[in-house]
Amino acid sequence: MKLLPIKQISFQTALLAKNLGFTIEELLDKIHYVYNIKNKILYHNEYGYNPKIFSLNPRIETIAVPSKELLNKWLRDIHNILITIEYWNGACGPHYHYKLTILKGPYKRTEIYGNLIKINKNFDAYEKAMEQGIKKGMEIVKRENSRNNLKH
């Protein structure tokens, strides 16, 4: 069995993470990809993320491209949002969907996104379900940040 290469998160997901303040300084050496913000081209560096190394021209702004696992850890440890992926093999065939659980805070609840009746919410690959779960988790963080900013 041949393993497929790991696909990096999309530019939109990386940008959303940056705008929400994704920083785990002690893990930056584990980030080996960046996007050039202007042309959205993905670059690789085997030594880990360092904005000075990636910007050959200081006017070029780059953003880190964390792995899905690092973003999942950040959402869980910093924002108390747990993302799990579930596998189903039903009448529509095998598929994955994601589940978000808010671990703490005033909105403690479990929400399942990926209703089994709506085929368009199911994903044919684990990685696709995980990235969509991460996006949904970050949308919740963004919404909560906006609400908190309105209160102050």
Side-chain angles (χ1 to χ4, degrees), residues 16 75 81 83 98 100 111 113 121 130-141 143:
L16 182 56
L75 285 169
I81 297 174
I83 301 167
Y98 59 90
L100 298 181
E111 299 180 41
Y113 296 92
K121 293 287 185 175
M130 178 58 79
E131 181 157 356
Q132 290 305 310
I134 288 168
K135 282 182 182 177
K136 183 55 85 172
M138 289 193 300
E139 287 172 11
I140 291 171
V141 171
R143 185 181 69 222

Side-chain angles (χ1 to χ4, degrees), residues 14-71:
L15 187 60
L16 182 56
K18 177 186 187 266
N19 291 339
L20 290 175
F22 172 80
T23 54
I24 301 180
E25 295 297 326
E26 65 274 13
L27 298 176
L28 286 179
D29 63 328
K30 295 179 177 22
I31 296 174
H32 298 284
Y33 291 89
V34 296
Y35 280 107
N36 176 324
I37 289 181
K38 185 175 181 178
N39 61 18
K40 302 176 186 173
I41 293 176
L42 184 67
Y43 294 96
H44 176 260
N45 179 349
E46 62 186 280
Y47 302 109
Y49 180 67
N50 180 334
K52 291 176 184 170
I53 291 174
F54 282 106
S55 293
L56 301 175
N57 179 337
R59 294 180 303 233
I60 297 174
E61 188 178 0
T62 59
I63 54 174
V65 181
S67 67
K68 293 174 189 81
E69 292 76 16
L70 283 177
L71 282 176

Side-chain angles (χ1 to χ4, degrees), residues 80-96:
N80 300 304
I81 297 174
L82 176 66
I83 301 167
T84 54
I85 306 300
E86 295 183 351
Y87 174 79
W88 292 86
N89 193 358
C92 299
H95 58 270
Y96 300 86

